């Protein structure tokens, strides 16, 4: 059995790899080459915790089997422990034997950013050079890397409700980007400063209200809604969805069941099912055209799916085995 921590994964598997893994996973999902059961949630009321199990199997261009275990224990912070620890278990599809265990927290950050990167690559204008990132939490860093990976950005504006945290995050991101990307990272004090004139906007927060004003989004912009994942959360302004030329999801089932950004305007009749153009895998396959002109406003909404975890994890294990990364244990 192979054990892979964050360092081992980073030494063998980069954002380009992760973006291609996301495209492959969603293509297989759309081609019905994936079995993704509903997530199982177990409440652990004695400790105010919740344990979630996300299994999937794919048998297309990548054969992968596994389950991601995610726990949500808010009181862990008082104990100096992660409040949302996660572990990925990879199984051999032929034998059903566990073959690897991965740092699920890093995997989640990587694949969540990668699916945004895949959407941005497939939907944003090719000459996009100014981007905005709203939210500097645990997902923010990889989200920025994904945008810089798929487009040659001159400028990335970063906004967070805590400006001091925003400045610290931006400085760390700039230090990382130097020598890898030619992007200038700028911390800004308002979301208006971030999104006005931006070619790409990515919002990754758990906000229950829109994180920016739709009126500030220019013609031709591509917007990614990444953070909200419950019916109560709503990062994207309804007005943006109304004027968008194209709205694409990672998976229809997931978004329509979980994303308040979409559920609320549908219930209110502000948008209809006809406004929802399809899934990202269909865009990758050429079955759906997300952008018809440079002036189109395109929107991508993701809530995540276990198929992204198992495919990305499988490919990580392959790369790490090739490069001699990780710790092997006889079990």
């Amino acid at each position: 059995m192979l054990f892979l921590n964050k360092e081992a994964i980073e030494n063998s598997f980069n954002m380009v790899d992760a973006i291609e893994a996301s495209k492959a996973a969603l293509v297989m999902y759309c081609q019905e080459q994936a079995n993704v059961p509903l997530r199982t949630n177990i409440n652990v009321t004695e400790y105010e915790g919740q344990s979630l199990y996300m299994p999937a199997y794919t048998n297309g261009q990548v054969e992968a089997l596994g389950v991601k275990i995610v726990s949500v224990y808010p009181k862990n912070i008082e104990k100096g422990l992660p409040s949302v620890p996660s572990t990925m278990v990879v199984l051999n599809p032929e034998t059903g034997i566990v073959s690897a265990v991965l740092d699920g927290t890093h995997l989640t950050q990587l694949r969540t950013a990668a699916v945004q990167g895949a959407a941005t690559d497939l939907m944003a204008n090719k000459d996009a050079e100014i981007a905005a990132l709203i939210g500097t939490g645990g997902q923010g860093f990889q989200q920025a890397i994904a945008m810089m990976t798929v487009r040659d950005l001159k400028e990335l504006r970063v906004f967070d409700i805590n400006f001091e945290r925003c400045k610290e995050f931006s400085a760390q991101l700039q230090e990382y980007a130097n020598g890898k990307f030619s992007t200038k990272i700028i911390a800004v004090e308002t979301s208006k400063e971030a999104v006005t004139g931006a070619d790409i906007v990515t919002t990754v927060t758990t906000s229950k209200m829109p994180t920016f004003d739709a009126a500030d989004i220019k013609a031709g912009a591509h917007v990614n809604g990444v953070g909200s994942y419950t019916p109560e959360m709503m990062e994207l302004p309804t007005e943006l969805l109304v004027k968008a030329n194209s709205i694409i999801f990672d998976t229809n089932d997931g978004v329509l069941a979980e994303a308040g950004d979409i559920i609320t305007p549908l219930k209110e009749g502000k948008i209809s099912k006809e406004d929802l153009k399809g899934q990202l895998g269909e865009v990758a396959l050429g079955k759906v055209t997300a952008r018809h002109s440079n002036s189109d406003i395109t929107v991508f909404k993701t809530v995540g799916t276990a198929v992204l975890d198992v495919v990305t994890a499988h490919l990580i294990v392959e790369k790490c085995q090739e490069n001699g990364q990780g710790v092997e244990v006889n079990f």
Side-chain angles (χ1 to χ4, degrees):
M1 187 186 301
L2 186 64
F3 285 80
L4 298 171
N5 61 14
K6 177 181 178 180
E7 183 180 9
I9 295 170
E10 288 181 324
N11 286 341
S12 296
F13 200 82
N14 60 28
M15 184 58 73
V16 173
D17 298 324
I19 288 169
E20 292 308 307
S22 290
K23 290 178 182 177
L26 293 181
V27 163
M28 286 187 286
Y29 183 89
C30 288
Q31 292 179 324
E32 297 185 350
Q33 296 173 327
N35 183 350
V36 189
L38 291 175
R39 181 175 64 194
T40 298
N41 295 3
I42 299 175
N43 288 317
V44 187
T45 53
E46 292 84 351
Y47 303 103
E48 297 181 29
Q50 189 177 53
S51 191
L52 300 84
Y53 301 82
M54 301 170 61
Y57 168 63
T58 62
N59 62 347
Q61 58 180 295
V62 178
E63 188 176 29
L65 175 66
V67 57
K68 188 170 75 173
I69 304 168
V70 183
S71 296
V72 182
Y73 277 64
K75 287 195 170 181
N76 274 5
I77 295 174
E78 300 169 9
K79 303 173 184 177
L81 298 171
S83 59
V84 190
S86 176
T87 302
M88 182 72 204
V89 179
V90 176
L91 292 84
N92 183 319
E94 185 178 350
T95 65
I97 294 173
V98 174
S99 56
V101 177
L102 288 71
D103 178 339
T105 304
H106 180 62
L107 171 68
T108 302
Q109 293 171 348
L110 186 61
R111 67 83 157 152
T112 304
V115 76
Q116 174 265 110
T120 300
D121 189 32
L122 293 167
M123 298 174 67
N125 280 318
K126 298 300 181 186
D127 61 353
E129 58 182 17
I130 298 175
L133 174 67
I134 299 175
T136 64
Q139 297 283 346
F141 208 87
Q142 294 294 332
Q143 293 289 332
I145 293 171
M147 286 189 284
M148 292 188 289
T149 297
V150 297
R151 290 295 183 270
D152 186 15
L153 299 179
K154 289 200 312 186
E155 186 175 293
L156 174 59
R157 306 163 185 166
V158 180
F159 168 71
D160 190 273
I161 54 174
N162 183 323
F163 187 52
E164 290 304 312
R165 183 172 62 196
C166 182
K167 288 191 292 185
E168 183 179 349
F169 174 94
S170 299
Q172 291 173 350
L173 182 60
Q174 186 70 75
E175 184 178 355
Y176 172 87
N178 290 339
K180 300 181 184 72
F181 305 102
S182 57
T183 311
K184 182 179 181 182
I185 315 296
I186 303 171
V188 297
E189 295 191 62
T190 66
S191 63
K192 184 179 183 70
E193 290 178 81
V195 306
T196 301
D199 303 303
I200 303 164
V201 174
T202 296
T203 175
V204 55
T205 76
T206 55
S207 177
K208 293 183 178 179
M209 61 183 65
T211 57
F212 59 90
D213 190 333
D216 295 326
I217 300 298
K218 75 170 194 176
H222 171 67
V223 180
N224 299 297
V226 179
S228 62
Y229 59 91
T230 72
E232 296 75 34
M233 297 177 187
M234 195 169 177
E235 292 182 289
L236 300 175
T238 296
E239 295 78 10
L240 172 70
L241 302 175
V242 171
K243 72 176 184 178
N245 300 93
S246 181
I247 303 171
I248 300 291
F249 301 155
D250 57 351
T251 68
N252 289 338
D253 290 344
V255 172
L256 292 174
E258 298 178 356
D261 308 273
I262 305 299
I263 294 170
T264 299
L266 277 173
K267 281 184 177 178
E268 294 175 348
K270 301 290 180 62
I271 61 173
S272 69
K273 291 286 182 69
E274 287 68 38
D275 296 316
L276 312 176
K277 301 305 182 185
Q279 301 173 112
L280 192 64
E282 294 170 311
V283 178
L285 285 166
K287 292 183 176 181
V288 171
T289 301
R291 175 174 293 278
H292 293 276
S293 77
N294 288 345
S295 61
D296 280 359
I297 292 176
T298 58
V299 175
F300 173 66
K301 177 60 196 172
T302 174
V303 294
T305 167
V307 71
L308 295 167
D309 293 302
V310 298
V311 172
T312 304
H314 174 86
L315 296 173
I316 286 172
V317 171
E318 283 191 341
K319 278 286 189 79
C320 287
Q321 287 173 331
E322 289 172 11
N323 297 331
Q325 293 291 321
V327 177
E328 285 194 347
V329 176
N330 290 325
F331 186 72

